[in-house]
Amino acid sequence: MGDVLLYMDPVINERLLAFARPLAEAAGGSLVALVAGSEPADLSQLAAADVVLEVIHPALSPYLPEAHQAVLAAAIRERAPDLVLLESATSGYDLAAAAAAMTGLALVGYCVGLSLDGAEAEATSSIYGGQLEATVRVPLPAVCVISPPALRDEPHQPGRGEHAALEPPAELDSLRTKFVEAITPADEGVDLTKADRIVCVGRGIGDADSIEIAQELATALGAELAASRPVIDSGWVPKVRQVG
C-alpha cells in the first residue's frame, strides 16, 4: 500500500484533491495533503484528505521556491508515497523537477490523464502545445504534474481528517536565496483566458509596423490581440498578451 502525496501550497486546490482520490484508493494508501507556511493552515479546506501533513516555519512565507523544495523533498522521504502530485501552476513548475531530482524519483509532466496498474503508473501527457498526446508508463514511486484541464469540479469525498506535523527540514535555516519584494504587473485590462476570440501573431508578422494590421483584424472580429513569445520578446506586443 502506498500513499498519494499532494502539494497544496501556496494555494490549496480542492480539485486536485478530488482528482487524486481514485488514485489513492487504487494504491490502497492514504490521500495526504502537504501544506507548508509560516502559520497554521485553514484545515477546513482540506476535508477531502485522509491526512493533512503540515510544516510551519518562518522561512515558508512569503513563498520562496528553495524553501518549499526542501519541505516537499523532506515529506517524500518521510512518507515514501507511491505518487506525488502537483498542479501545472507556478509551484508545480518551481518544485516538481527539483523535488524529483532531490529524491531520485521519476518525473512526468503535463499530465491530462493518470492511472495506476500494479507497480506502475500510466500517464497521458499533452505535448507540442496540446497538439499531440503521449502515453508513458513509469515505475512507482513517481512525481506527476497535472495539467488544469484534467481537474474537474467533482463531489469531494470526505477523508479521515487526520492531522500530522512534519519537522521543518534543517535547510530552512540556511537558505541561499531570500525574498526581496513582490512586484505586481500593471493592470492593462486584458485577460486572454476570458476572451471569446483571439487573433494571435507570430514571428511571421515580420516587423513591429505590421502589428497594427493584426490589431485592425482583431478589432473587426471583436477579438483580443495576442502574440507568441518571439514577438513579445521583441517588444512589439505587451507581455500580458503572450500565449503559448
Side-chain angles (χ1 to χ4, degrees):
M1 298 199 309
D3 293 343
V4 175
L5 175 69
L6 311 184
Y7 193 78
M8 289 281 104
D9 277 293
V11 177
I12 292 175
N13 189 334
E14 293 179 296
R15 297 200 305 160
L16 185 60
L17 281 162
F19 175 89
R21 170 54 66 186
L23 296 169
E25 293 176 350
S30 298
L31 181 56
V32 181
L34 171 62
V35 290
S38 59
E39 298 179 353
D42 179 4
L43 302 185
S44 65
Q45 300 180 66
L46 295 164
D50 294 320
V51 180
V52 176
L53 185 62
E54 185 172 23
V55 56
I56 301 172
H57 190 281
L60 294 171
S61 183
Y63 174 77
L64 190 64
E66 182 189 2
H68 286 252
Q69 288 167 9
V71 167
L72 180 53
I76 293 172
R77 294 186 184 108
E78 176 165 312
R79 298 291 305 200
D82 273 355
L83 272 178
V84 180
L85 303 184
L86 300 91
E87 185 188 0
S88 289
T90 300
S91 60
Y93 299 140
D94 283 344
L95 308 181
M102 293 167 70
T103 57
L105 300 186
L107 170 70
V108 183
Y110 303 104
C111 297
V112 294
L114 184 62
S115 62
L116 298 183
D117 183 9
E120 292 184 321
E122 181 171 295
T124 301
S125 296
S126 176
I127 61 175
Y128 295 113
Q131 298 180 65
L132 295 174
E133 291 184 348
T135 299
V136 300
R137 296 181 69 88
V138 60
L140 301 177
V143 178
C144 295
V145 186
I146 312 301
S147 293
L151 305 179
R152 302 178 178 86
D153 292 322
E154 300 174 358
H156 291 169
Q157 177 182 334
R160 296 199 306 272
E162 298 177 11
H163 182 256
L166 175 68
E167 187 71 21
E171 296 95 317
L172 296 183
D173 295 321
S174 56
L175 297 174
R176 296 170 295 173
T177 56
K178 66 177 181 179
F179 179 85
V180 178
E181 64 176 325
I183 301 174
T184 303
D187 184 2
E188 300 188 25
V190 178
D191 186 350
L192 295 179
T193 66
K194 297 180 180 179
D196 292 328
R197 302 178 186 86
I198 293 174
V199 171
C200 184
V201 298
R203 68 175 80 236
I205 197 71
D207 53 42
D209 293 339
S210 299
I211 297 297
E212 183 178 350
I213 300 173
Q215 181 60 69
E216 291 174 358
L217 174 61
T219 301
L221 295 174
E224 290 285 358
L225 178 67
S228 63
R229 182 169 179 173
V231 175
I232 300 295
D233 289 347
S234 297
W236 301 347
V237 175
K239 184 171 178 57
V240 70
R241 295 185 178 273
Q242 179 176 329
V243 298

PDB file of all heavy atoms in Angstrom, residues 103-138:
ATOM      1  N   THR A 103      15.093  13.543  -4.673  1.00  0.00           N
ATOM      2  CA  THR A 103      14.697  12.279  -4.053  1.00  0.00           C
ATOM      3  C   THR A 103      14.905  11.083  -4.976  1.00  0.00           C
ATOM      4  O   THR A 103      14.591   9.947  -4.594  1.00  0.00           O
ATOM      5  CB  THR A 103      13.221  12.340  -3.624  1.00  0.00           C
ATOM      6  OG1 THR A 103      12.403  12.660  -4.766  1.00  0.00           O
ATOM      7  CG2 THR A 103      13.008  13.388  -2.546  1.00  0.00           C
ATOM      8  N   GLY A 104      15.410  11.312  -6.187  1.00  0.00           N
ATOM      9  CA  GLY A 104      15.693  10.218  -7.106  1.00  0.00           C
ATOM     10  C   GLY A 104      14.469   9.589  -7.734  1.00  0.00           C
ATOM     11  O   GLY A 104      14.514   8.430  -8.166  1.00  0.00           O
ATOM     12  N   LEU A 105      13.357  10.334  -7.828  1.00  0.00           N
ATOM     13  CA  LEU A 105      12.136   9.795  -8.400  1.00  0.00           C
ATOM     14  C   LEU A 105      11.992  10.202  -9.867  1.00  0.00           C
ATOM     15  O   LEU A 105      12.531  11.226 -10.306  1.00  0.00           O
ATOM     16  CB  LEU A 105      10.911  10.296  -7.622  1.00  0.00           C
ATOM     17  CG  LEU A 105      10.842   9.950  -6.136  1.00  0.00           C
ATOM     18  CD1 LEU A 105       9.509  10.395  -5.559  1.00  0.00           C
ATOM     19  CD2 LEU A 105      11.062   8.463  -5.906  1.00  0.00           C
ATOM     20  N   ALA A 106      11.234   9.417 -10.608  1.00  0.00           N
ATOM     21  CA  ALA A 106      10.903   9.766 -11.988  1.00  0.00           C
ATOM     22  C   ALA A 106       9.908  10.921 -11.984  1.00  0.00           C
ATOM     23  O   ALA A 106       9.157  11.120 -11.022  1.00  0.00           O
ATOM     24  CB  ALA A 106      10.310   8.561 -12.708  1.00  0.00           C
ATOM     25  N   LEU A 107       9.896  11.672 -13.086  1.00  0.00           N
ATOM     26  CA  LEU A 107       9.009  12.827 -13.217  1.00  0.00           C
ATOM     27  C   LEU A 107       8.263  12.742 -14.532  1.00  0.00           C
ATOM     28  O   LEU A 107       8.862  12.498 -15.583  1.00  0.00           O
ATOM     29  CB  LEU A 107       9.809  14.135 -13.160  1.00  0.00           C
ATOM     30  CG  LEU A 107       9.046  15.419 -13.517  1.00  0.00           C
ATOM     31  CD1 LEU A 107       8.027  15.750 -12.437  1.00  0.00           C
ATOM     32  CD2 LEU A 107      10.015  16.578 -13.712  1.00  0.00           C
ATOM     33  N   VAL A 108       6.951  12.948 -14.483  1.00  0.00           N
ATOM     34  CA  VAL A 108       6.128  13.040 -15.690  1.00  0.00           C
ATOM     35  C   VAL A 108       5.362  14.359 -15.626  1.00  0.00           C
ATOM     36  O   VAL A 108       4.675  14.636 -14.636  1.00  0.00           O
ATOM     37  CB  VAL A 108       5.136  11.869 -15.817  1.00  0.00           C
ATOM     38  CG1 VAL A 108       4.357  11.977 -17.125  1.00  0.00           C
ATOM     39  CG2 VAL A 108       5.860  10.534 -15.735  1.00  0.00           C
ATOM     40  N   GLY A 109       5.472  15.176 -16.663  1.00  0.00           N
ATOM     41  CA  GLY A 109       4.821  16.484 -16.667  1.00  0.00           C
ATOM     42  C   GLY A 109       3.638  16.550 -17.612  1.00  0.00           C
ATOM     43  O   GLY A 109       3.408  15.663 -18.426  1.00  0.00           O
ATOM     44  N   TYR A 110       2.864  17.630 -17.482  1.00  0.00           N
ATOM     45  CA  TYR A 110       1.748  17.959 -18.367  1.00  0.00           C
ATOM     46  C   TYR A 110       0.737  16.816 -18.474  1.00  0.00           C
ATOM     47  O   TYR A 110       0.209  16.523 -19.549  1.00  0.00           O
ATOM     48  CB  TYR A 110       2.263  18.336 -19.759  1.00  0.00           C
ATOM     49  CG  TYR A 110       3.241  19.489 -19.735  1.00  0.00           C
ATOM     50  CD1 TYR A 110       4.611  19.260 -19.880  1.00  0.00           C
ATOM     51  CD2 TYR A 110       2.798  20.792 -19.522  1.00  0.00           C
ATOM     52  CE1 TYR A 110       5.518  20.312 -19.833  1.00  0.00           C
ATOM     53  CE2 TYR A 110       3.693  21.851 -19.486  1.00  0.00           C
ATOM     54  CZ  TYR A 110       5.051  21.612 -19.637  1.00  0.00           C
ATOM     55  OH  TYR A 110       5.943  22.662 -19.587  1.00  0.00           O
ATOM     56  N   CYS A 111       0.444  16.164 -17.350  1.00  0.00           N
ATOM     57  CA  CYS A 111      -0.468  15.019 -17.361  1.00  0.00           C
ATOM     58  C   CYS A 111      -1.920  15.475 -17.508  1.00  0.00           C
ATOM     59  O   CYS A 111      -2.390  16.342 -16.764  1.00  0.00           O
ATOM     60  CB  CYS A 111      -0.340  14.215 -16.066  1.00  0.00           C
ATOM     61  SG  CYS A 111       1.285  13.477 -15.813  1.00  0.00           S
ATOM     62  N   VAL A 112      -2.618  14.880 -18.458  1.00  0.00           N
ATOM     63  CA  VAL A 112      -4.054  15.116 -18.603  1.00  0.00           C
ATOM     64  C   VAL A 112      -4.849  13.863 -18.228  1.00  0.00           C
ATOM     65  O   VAL A 112      -6.078  13.895 -18.182  1.00  0.00           O
ATOM     66  CB  VAL A 112      -4.402  15.566 -20.031  1.00  0.00           C
ATOM     67  CG1 VAL A 112      -3.803  16.929 -20.318  1.00  0.00           C
ATOM     68  CG2 VAL A 112      -3.931  14.554 -21.067  1.00  0.00           C
ATOM     69  N   GLY A 113      -4.146  12.778 -17.980  1.00  0.00           N
ATOM     70  CA  GLY A 113      -4.773  11.547 -17.517  1.00  0.00           C
ATOM     71  C   GLY A 113      -3.757  10.731 -16.752  1.00  0.00           C
ATOM     72  O   GLY A 113      -2.568  10.753 -17.074  1.00  0.00           O
ATOM     73  N   LEU A 114      -4.217  10.013 -15.712  1.00  0.00           N
ATOM     74  CA  LEU A 114      -3.284   9.255 -14.881  1.00  0.00           C
ATOM     75  C   LEU A 114      -4.018   8.089 -14.243  1.00  0.00           C
ATOM     76  O   LEU A 114      -5.119   8.245 -13.705  1.00  0.00           O
ATOM     77  CB  LEU A 114      -2.691  10.163 -13.795  1.00  0.00           C
ATOM     78  CG  LEU A 114      -1.623   9.569 -12.879  1.00  0.00           C
ATOM     79  CD1 LEU A 114      -0.388   9.157 -13.669  1.00  0.00           C
ATOM     80  CD2 LEU A 114      -1.236  10.583 -11.800  1.00  0.00           C
ATOM     81  N   SER A 115      -3.407   6.909 -14.305  1.00  0.00           N
ATOM     82  CA  SER A 115      -3.980   5.730 -13.672  1.00  0.00           C
ATOM     83  C   SER A 115      -2.860   4.857 -13.148  1.00  0.00           C
ATOM     84  O   SER A 115      -1.694   5.010 -13.530  1.00  0.00           O
ATOM     85  CB  SER A 115      -4.850   4.937 -14.664  1.00  0.00           C
ATOM     86  OG  SER A 115      -4.064   4.468 -15.752  1.00  0.00           O
ATOM     87  N   LEU A 116      -3.212   3.929 -12.260  1.00  0.00           N
ATOM     88  CA  LEU A 116      -2.237   3.015 -11.669  1.00  0.00           C
ATOM     89  C   LEU A 116      -2.512   1.601 -12.148  1.00  0.00           C
ATOM     90  O   LEU A 116      -3.664   1.186 -12.287  1.00  0.00           O
ATOM     91  CB  LEU A 116      -2.310   3.068 -10.146  1.00  0.00           C
ATOM     92  CG  LEU A 116      -1.987   4.408  -9.473  1.00  0.00           C
ATOM     93  CD1 LEU A 116      -2.038   4.255  -7.962  1.00  0.00           C
ATOM     94  CD2 LEU A 116      -0.637   4.928  -9.910  1.00  0.00           C
ATOM     95  N   ASP A 117      -1.423   0.873 -12.393  1.00  0.00           N
ATOM     96  CA  ASP A 117      -1.516  -0.526 -12.796  1.00  0.00           C
ATOM     97  C   ASP A 117      -0.402  -1.276 -12.090  1.00  0.00           C
ATOM     98  O   ASP A 117       0.731  -1.334 -12.557  1.00  0.00           O
ATOM     99  CB  ASP A 117      -1.384  -0.652 -14.314  1.00  0.00           C
ATOM    100  CG  ASP A 117      -1.550  -2.093 -14.799  1.00  0.00           C
ATOM    101  OD1 ASP A 117      -1.933  -2.942 -13.975  1.00  0.00           O
ATOM    102  OD2 ASP A 117      -1.292  -2.353 -15.991  1.00  0.00           O
ATOM    103  N   GLY A 118      -0.737  -1.835 -10.930  1.00  0.00           N
ATOM    104  CA  GLY A 118       0.262  -2.544 -10.149  1.00  0.00           C
ATOM    105  C   GLY A 118       1.347  -1.614  -9.665  1.00  0.00           C
ATOM    106  O   GLY A 118       1.084  -0.608  -8.999  1.00  0.00           O
ATOM    107  N   ALA A 119       2.584  -1.920 -10.026  1.00  0.00           N
ATOM    108  CA  ALA A 119       3.723  -1.119  -9.569  1.00  0.00           C
ATOM    109  C   ALA A 119       4.094  -0.021 -10.555  1.00  0.00           C
ATOM    110  O   ALA A 119       5.185   0.541 -10.472  1.00  0.00           O
ATOM    111  CB  ALA A 119       4.922  -2.028  -9.343  1.00  0.00           C
ATOM    112  N   GLU A 120       3.187   0.278 -11.494  1.00  0.00           N
ATOM    113  CA  GLU A 120       3.451   1.313 -12.477  1.00  0.00           C
ATOM    114  C   GLU A 120       2.298   2.308 -12.539  1.00  0.00           C
ATOM    115  O   GLU A 120       1.160   1.993 -12.184  1.00  0.00           O
ATOM    116  CB  GLU A 120       3.654   0.713 -13.874  1.00  0.00           C
ATOM    117  CG  GLU A 120       4.910  -0.118 -14.028  1.00  0.00           C
ATOM    118  CD  GLU A 120       5.090  -0.586 -15.453  1.00  0.00           C
ATOM    119  OE1 GLU A 120       4.080  -0.952 -16.098  1.00  0.00           O
ATOM    120  OE2 GLU A 120       6.241  -0.589 -15.933  1.00  0.00           O
ATOM    121  N   ALA A 121       2.622   3.493 -13.021  1.00  0.00           N
ATOM    122  CA  ALA A 121       1.603   4.493 -13.341  1.00  0.00           C
ATOM    123  C   ALA A 121       1.598   4.671 -14.851  1.00  0.00           C
ATOM    124  O   ALA A 121       2.647   4.632 -15.500  1.00  0.00           O
ATOM    125  CB  ALA A 121       1.907   5.821 -12.658  1.00  0.00           C
ATOM    126  N   GLU A 122       0.410   4.845 -15.406  1.00  0.00           N
ATOM    127  CA  GLU A 122       0.282   5.157 -16.829  1.00  0.00           C
ATOM    128  C   GLU A 122      -0.250   6.577 -16.944  1.00  0.00           C
ATOM    129  O   GLU A 122      -1.332   6.888 -16.441  1.00  0.00           O
ATOM    130  CB  GLU A 122      -0.648   4.175 -17.526  1.00  0.00           C
ATOM    131  CG  GLU A 122      -0.782   4.464 -19.026  1.00  0.00           C
ATOM    132  CD  GLU A 122      -1.522   3.373 -19.773  1.00  0.00           C
ATOM    133  OE1 GLU A 122      -0.996   2.245 -19.824  1.00  0.00           O
ATOM    134  OE2 GLU A 122      -2.628   3.670 -20.284  1.00  0.00           O
ATOM    135  N   ALA A 123       0.530   7.426 -17.584  1.00  0.00           N
ATOM    136  CA  ALA A 123       0.182   8.845 -17.687  1.00  0.00           C
ATOM    137  C   ALA A 123       0.032   9.231 -19.147  1.00  0.00           C
ATOM    138  O   ALA A 123       0.807   8.808 -20.007  1.00  0.00           O
ATOM    139  CB  ALA A 123       1.258   9.703 -17.031  1.00  0.00           C
ATOM    140  N   THR A 124      -0.976  10.043 -19.418  1.00  0.00           N
ATOM    141  CA  THR A 124      -1.146  10.652 -20.730  1.00  0.00           C
ATOM    142  C   THR A 124      -0.797  12.118 -20.595  1.00  0.00           C
ATOM    143  O   THR A 124      -1.392  12.832 -19.780  1.00  0.00           O
ATOM    144  CB  THR A 124      -2.584  10.499 -21.241  1.00  0.00           C
ATOM    145  OG1 THR A 124      -2.904   9.110 -21.318  1.00  0.00           O
ATOM    146  CG2 THR A 124      -2.744  11.131 -22.610  1.00  0.00           C
ATOM    147  N   SER A 125       0.184  12.563 -21.367  1.00  0.00           N
ATOM    148  CA  SER A 125       0.674  13.935 -21.272  1.00  0.00           C
ATOM    149  C   SER A 125       0.395  14.702 -22.559  1.00  0.00           C
ATOM    150  O   SER A 125       0.487  14.143 -23.660  1.00  0.00           O
ATOM    151  CB  SER A 125       2.181  13.954 -20.985  1.00  0.00           C
ATOM    152  OG  SER A 125       2.466  13.373 -19.730  1.00  0.00           O
ATOM    153  N   SER A 126       0.070  15.960 -22.390  1.00  0.00           N
ATOM    154  CA  SER A 126      -0.134  16.846 -23.535  1.00  0.00           C
ATOM    155  C   SER A 126       1.230  17.369 -23.988  1.00  0.00           C
ATOM    156  O   SER A 126       2.008  17.883 -23.176  1.00  0.00           O
ATOM    157  CB  SER A 126      -1.043  18.008 -23.125  1.00  0.00           C
ATOM    158  OG  SER A 126      -1.194  18.932 -24.168  1.00  0.00           O
ATOM    159  N   ILE A 127       1.538  17.230 -25.278  1.00  0.00           N
ATOM    160  CA  ILE A 127       2.834  17.671 -25.795  1.00  0.00           C
ATOM    161  C   ILE A 127       2.638  18.547 -27.027  1.00  0.00           C
ATOM    162  O   ILE A 127       1.550  18.600 -27.606  1.00  0.00           O
ATOM    163  CB  ILE A 127       3.755  16.480 -26.127  1.00  0.00           C
ATOM    164  CG1 ILE A 127       3.135  15.580 -27.193  1.00  0.00           C
ATOM    165  CG2 ILE A 127       4.043  15.672 -24.863  1.00  0.00           C
ATOM    166  CD1 ILE A 127       4.043  14.451 -27.641  1.00  0.00           C
ATOM    167  N   TYR A 128       3.693  19.225 -27.422  1.00  0.00           N
ATOM    168  CA  TYR A 128       3.657  20.122 -28.578  1.00  0.00           C
ATOM    169  C   TYR A 128       2.492  21.105 -28.495  1.00  0.00           C
ATOM    170  O   TYR A 128       1.704  21.266 -29.433  1.00  0.00           O
ATOM    171  CB  TYR A 128       3.598  19.330 -29.889  1.00  0.00           C
ATOM    172  CG  TYR A 128       4.829  18.514 -30.164  1.00  0.00           C
ATOM    173  CD1 TYR A 128       4.767  17.124 -30.155  1.00  0.00           C
ATOM    174  CD2 TYR A 128       6.056  19.126 -30.395  1.00  0.00           C
ATOM    175  CE1 TYR A 128       5.909  16.356 -30.377  1.00  0.00           C
ATOM    176  CE2 TYR A 128       7.203  18.367 -30.608  1.00  0.00           C
ATOM    177  CZ  TYR A 128       7.124  16.995 -30.609  1.00  0.00           C
ATOM    178  OH  TYR A 128       8.257  16.247 -30.820  1.00  0.00           O
ATOM    179  N   GLY A 129       2.410  21.749 -27.319  1.00  0.00           N
ATOM    180  CA  GLY A 129       1.378  22.770 -27.145  1.00  0.00           C
ATOM    181  C   GLY A 129      -0.029  22.226 -27.206  1.00  0.00           C
ATOM    182  O   GLY A 129      -0.958  22.952 -27.559  1.00  0.00           O
ATOM    183  N   GLY A 130      -0.216  20.967 -26.852  1.00  0.00           N
ATOM    184  CA  GLY A 130      -1.542  20.372 -26.850  1.00  0.00           C
ATOM    185  C   GLY A 130      -1.955  19.769 -28.174  1.00  0.00           C
ATOM    186  O   GLY A 130      -3.077  19.267 -28.310  1.00  0.00           O
ATOM    187  N   GLN A 131      -1.070  19.777 -29.165  1.00  0.00           N
ATOM    188  CA  GLN A 131      -1.421  19.221 -30.473  1.00  0.00           C
ATOM    189  C   GLN A 131      -1.388  17.694 -30.485  1.00  0.00           C
ATOM    190  O   GLN A 131      -2.047  17.060 -31.300  1.00  0.00           O
ATOM    191  CB  GLN A 131      -0.471  19.762 -31.539  1.00  0.00           C
ATOM    192  CG  GLN A 131      -0.539  21.283 -31.705  1.00  0.00           C
ATOM    193  CD  GLN A 131       0.421  21.773 -32.767  1.00  0.00           C
ATOM    194  OE1 GLN A 131       0.282  21.454 -33.937  1.00  0.00           O
ATOM    195  NE2 GLN A 131       1.408  22.548 -32.356  1.00  0.00           N
ATOM    196  N   LEU A 132      -0.594  17.114 -29.591  1.00  0.00           N
ATOM    197  CA  LEU A 132      -0.491  15.667 -29.508  1.00  0.00           C
ATOM    198  C   LEU A 132      -0.553  15.241 -28.046  1.00  0.00           C
ATOM    199  O   LEU A 132      -0.345  16.050 -27.142  1.00  0.00           O
ATOM    200  CB  LEU A 132       0.828  15.175 -30.116  1.00  0.00           C
ATOM    201  CG  LEU A 132       1.047  15.375 -31.621  1.00  0.00           C
ATOM    202  CD1 LEU A 132       2.454  14.948 -31.987  1.00  0.00           C
ATOM    203  CD2 LEU A 132       0.022  14.590 -32.426  1.00  0.00           C
ATOM    204  N   GLU A 133      -0.830  13.946 -27.849  1.00  0.00           N
ATOM    205  CA  GLU A 133      -0.775  13.360 -26.520  1.00  0.00           C
ATOM    206  C   GLU A 133       0.164  12.165 -26.548  1.00  0.00           C
ATOM    207  O   GLU A 133       0.185  11.407 -27.523  1.00  0.00           O
ATOM    208  CB  GLU A 133      -2.164  12.929 -26.045  1.00  0.00           C
ATOM    209  CG  GLU A 133      -3.090  14.100 -25.755  1.00  0.00           C
ATOM    210  CD  GLU A 133      -4.427  13.658 -25.184  1.00  0.00           C
ATOM    211  OE1 GLU A 133      -4.728  12.424 -25.235  1.00  0.00           O
ATOM    212  OE2 GLU A 133      -5.183  14.521 -24.693  1.00  0.00           O
ATOM    213  N   ALA A 134       0.940  12.016 -25.489  1.00  0.00           N
ATOM    214  CA  ALA A 134       1.869  10.893 -25.374  1.00  0.00           C
ATOM    215  C   ALA A 134       1.512  10.097 -24.126  1.00  0.00           C
ATOM    216  O   ALA A 134       1.258  10.670 -23.063  1.00  0.00           O
ATOM    217  CB  ALA A 134       3.307  11.401 -25.277  1.00  0.00           C
ATOM    218  N   THR A 135       1.483   8.789 -24.270  1.00  0.00           N
ATOM    219  CA  THR A 135       1.203   7.910 -23.139  1.00  0.00           C
ATOM    220  C   THR A 135       2.493   7.230 -22.710  1.00  0.00           C
ATOM    221  O   THR A 135       3.214   6.669 -23.544  1.00  0.00           O
ATOM    222  CB  THR A 135       0.152   6.851 -23.510  1.00  0.00           C
ATOM    223  OG1 THR A 135      -1.064   7.506 -23.883  1.00  0.00           O
ATOM    224  CG2 THR A 135      -0.130   5.928 -22.328  1.00  0.00           C
ATOM    225  N   VAL A 136       2.787   7.311 -21.419  1.00  0.00           N
ATOM    226  CA  VAL A 136       4.012   6.715 -20.892  1.00  0.00           C
ATOM    227  C   VAL A 136       3.670   5.858 -19.680  1.00  0.00           C
ATOM    228  O   VAL A 136       2.670   6.089 -19.008  1.00  0.00           O
ATOM    229  CB  VAL A 136       5.043   7.797 -20.481  1.00  0.00           C
ATOM    230  CG1 VAL A 136       5.430   8.651 -21.669  1.00  0.00           C
ATOM    231  CG2 VAL A 136       4.511   8.684 -19.356  1.00  0.00           C
ATOM    232  N   ARG A 137       4.501   4.874 -19.428  1.00  0.00           N
ATOM    233  CA  ARG A 137       4.399   4.058 -18.220  1.00  0.00           C
ATOM    234  C   ARG A 137       5.666   4.273 -17.412  1.00  0.00           C
ATOM    235  O   ARG A 137       6.772   4.241 -17.958  1.00  0.00           O
ATOM    236  CB  ARG A 137       4.215   2.583 -18.562  1.00  0.00           C
ATOM    237  CG  ARG A 137       2.914   2.304 -19.297  1.00  0.00           C
ATOM    238  CD  ARG A 137       2.755   0.818 -19.600  1.00  0.00           C
ATOM    239  NE  ARG A 137       2.526   0.051 -18.380  1.00  0.00           N
ATOM    240  CZ  ARG A 137       1.323  -0.168 -17.842  1.00  0.00           C
ATOM    241  NH1 ARG A 137       0.249   0.338 -18.419  1.00  0.00           N
ATOM    242  NH2 ARG A 137       1.202  -0.883 -16.747  1.00  0.00           N
ATOM    243  N   VAL A 138       5.490   4.513 -16.132  1.00  0.00           N
ATOM    244  CA  VAL A 138       6.618   4.826 -15.274  1.00  0.00           C
ATOM    245  C   VAL A 138       6.518   4.005 -13.996  1.00  0.00           C
ATOM    246  O   VAL A 138       5.428   3.856 -13.424  1.00  0.00           O
ATOM    247  CB  VAL A 138       6.648   6.347 -14.962  1.00  0.00           C
ATOM    248  CG1 VAL A 138       5.377   6.795 -14.263  1.00  0.00           C
ATOM    249  CG2 VAL A 138       7.857   6.716 -14.117  1.00  0.00           C
TER     250      VAL A 138
END
